[in-house]
Amino acid sequence: MRILFNDSQIRYDTGKASLIKLPHSMKTFWLPNALISVHTEHTYVGYLPRLFTPHSGTSRPVTLDEIETAFEKESAVLPEISTHKPDPIKPIDTQADDDLKR
């Protein structure tokens, strides 16, 4: 799952992880910076794997479902991830001159 958030939702950055605030809530969670990439000048995309266990930044625990519903509206503008697999290239049958062979 990917979430889209603004730089104003980053409460704290340690260099290895960022404390992200859920929109319209006081709940926060830690997200490793390796899972965050820049989308535009002031927005970021965070990738949350299926087995991700969010660690709350406050005494209020946060679940993955809460994060998904909180960022659902903002993340709707993200394009779907698609992969491109090119057609296999068939080798050209080449012949070498006999005097070039060893």
Side-chain angles (χ1 to χ4, degrees):
M1 171 181 59
R2 296 184 309 158
I3 59 170
L4 182 70
F5 56 92
N6 296 325
D7 57 355
S8 62
Q9 290 174 288
I10 299 175
R11 292 293 178 227
Y12 189 73
D13 184 17
T14 64
K16 288 191 174 191
S18 295
L19 186 63
I20 311 295
K21 179 189 172 295
L22 270 63
H24 311 293
S25 173
M26 293 302 294
K27 294 183 178 182
T28 57
F29 68 99
W30 288 99
L31 186 62
N33 285 345
L35 300 178
I36 299 174
S37 62
V38 177
H39 185 254
T40 62
E41 188 176 348
H42 297 288
T43 58
Y44 297 90
V45 175
Y47 174 71
L48 301 173
R50 288 186 200 134
L51 300 176
F52 179 73
T53 305
H55 296 284
S56 178
T58 58
S59 60
R60 300 178 182 102
V62 180
T63 63
L64 203 55
D65 293 332
E66 287 178 313
I67 295 172
E68 185 176 5
T69 54
F71 288 99
E72 171 175 71
K73 183 179 174 185
E74 290 87 358
S75 300
V77 298
L78 289 173
E80 290 295 320
I81 298 174
S82 63
T83 58
H84 173 71
K85 184 176 181 183
D87 296 329
I89 299 172
K90 296 180 181 177
I92 300 173
D93 204 19
T94 58
Q95 298 293 327
D97 293 335
D98 289 333
D99 58 333
L100 296 176
K101 293 181 182 178
R102 294 185 187 185

